[in-house]
Amino acid sequence: MTQTDPTAAAGAPETAVTRAEYCVIACAEAWRGAGEILASPMGTIPSIAARLAKLTFAPDLLLTDGEALLIGDVPAVGAPSAVTEGWLPYRKHLTMVMGGRRHVMMGASQIDRFGNQNISCIGDWQRPKRQLLGVRGAPVNTLNNPVSYWIPRHSTRVFVEKVDMISGVGHDSAAAAGPSATRFHDLRRVVSDLAVLDFGAADHAMRLVSLHPGVTVEQVREATGFALAAADDVPYTREPTAAELRLIREVVDPRGLREREVRS
């Protein structure tokens, strides 16, 4: 399988783009053209990405302060908002989740080829080896809203053949549950520190969509605990524009927090 190095293309940024910045771009693309919908990013890079999307190709996105307010400005990650658009306490947030007007980018302690996600426990349910967050809102999120995933460390411990417990509902589980589960089920993409994936293979299985520059198909497959579909020529994740790089580095994440989540 072959790829063409995008850094050799005309118009590539003069300052080297870091792996973390490619991850920001890949996550931001999940909200491209999303319209007036609540972006719920979980993690530093998804938070940077949602802000970048709102400042560029998804201006109608709704953002929160991470607690109980809808914000009308786009502050840097970790900085307070100066413009309040609305009140969104927990109870109202849950109502919004039921209504399907939210695109959450969740994490996953485990995820399988069909998008079943586990954030609850590792090991047998009766006697788990490790207790995690718990199921939380993952089932309703995945059945009623667009959902994407952010995995900062792509490994066989996360990308597994079968999750120990289903928290977020995958394609096979939704199909088994019937029309009430599949009606609004919409898993968009998985972004990791190595690549971008979606569920466009046969039976909605995961497939490799793009590689972050410097990564090979073989690397991704070795870090994945199941057979991963891929085209013969997998492209690289797109280059950020000069304007996008400026926004990431100077406006949204001037403290460089992205580089702590994904080190170059």
Side-chain angles (χ1 to χ4, degrees):
M1 299 184 182
T2 59
Q3 294 87 32
T4 301
D5 188 344
T7 60
E14 292 183 8
T15 305
V17 181
T18 68
R19 178 71 60 81
E21 289 164 345
Y22 283 114
C23 291
V24 169
I25 291 296
C27 288
E29 286 290 340
W31 287 287
R32 180 176 285 276
E36 192 173 313
I37 191 170
L38 180 67
S40 292
M42 299 183 183
T44 300
I45 282 179
S47 296
I48 297 166
R51 286 165 167 77
L52 178 66
K54 182 173 178 64
L55 288 171
T56 53
F57 47 72
D60 294 328
L61 272 185
L62 299 177
L63 300 177
T64 76
D65 66 348
E67 294 186 11
L69 298 177
L70 286 170
I71 60 176
D73 56 353
V74 185
V77 171
S81 168
V83 181
T84 298
E85 279 195 337
W87 175 238
L88 191 66
Y90 190 60
R91 62 185 179 276
K92 288 190 176 181
H93 205 125
L94 291 178
T95 302
M96 177 173 282
V97 169
M98 294 294 290
R101 297 298 300 164
R102 178 191 193 218
H103 184 162
V104 59
M105 182 170 282
M106 292 194 288
S109 300
Q110 294 177 327
I111 189 168
D112 68 21
R113 73 178 73 226
F114 297 111
N116 294 294
Q117 170 242 32
N118 175 23
I119 52 172
S120 185
C121 65
I122 300 298
D124 182 74
W125 168 252
Q126 299 298 325
R127 190 164 184 163
K129 298 176 183 177
R130 184 171 298 173
Q131 177 67 50
L132 305 175
L133 288 172
V135 173
R136 300 176 72 86
V140 176
N141 279 327
T142 48
L143 293 183
N144 288 332
N145 300 272
V147 170
S148 296
Y149 289 104
W150 160 241
I151 313 294
R153 298 290 182 272
H154 194 131
S155 74
T156 54
R157 293 180 63 182
V158 179
F159 290 81
V160 297
E161 183 66 39
K162 184 178 181 180
V163 297
D164 292 339
M165 178 182 175
I166 296 174
S167 303
V169 180
H171 284 286
D172 58 340
S173 300
S180 63
T182 57
R183 185 179 180 187
F184 301 113
H185 189 250
D186 184 10
L187 301 184
R188 296 281 175 90
R189 62 172 45 196
V190 179
V191 180
S192 78
D193 61 329
L194 299 182
V196 180
L197 310 102
D198 68 7
F199 298 94
D203 298 323
H204 297 291
M206 198 180 294
R207 69 174 178 180
L208 184 57
V209 173
S210 74
L211 300 164
H212 303 326
V215 179
T216 67
V217 173
E218 289 70 26
Q219 275 182 277
V220 177
R221 283 184 162 153
E222 287 175 5
T224 304
F226 51 82
L228 183 62
D232 290 336
D233 189 3
V234 181
Y236 281 111
T237 301
R238 78 165 176 87
E239 291 290 315
T241 66
E244 288 171 332
L245 273 182
R246 184 191 68 80
L247 287 171
I248 292 170
R249 295 172 177 178
E250 300 177 16
V251 177
V252 181
D253 184 28
R255 292 191 292 161
L257 300 177
R258 60 194 179 279
E259 304 297 337
R260 299 181 191 179
E261 192 164 39
V262 174
R263 297 188 181 278
S264 300

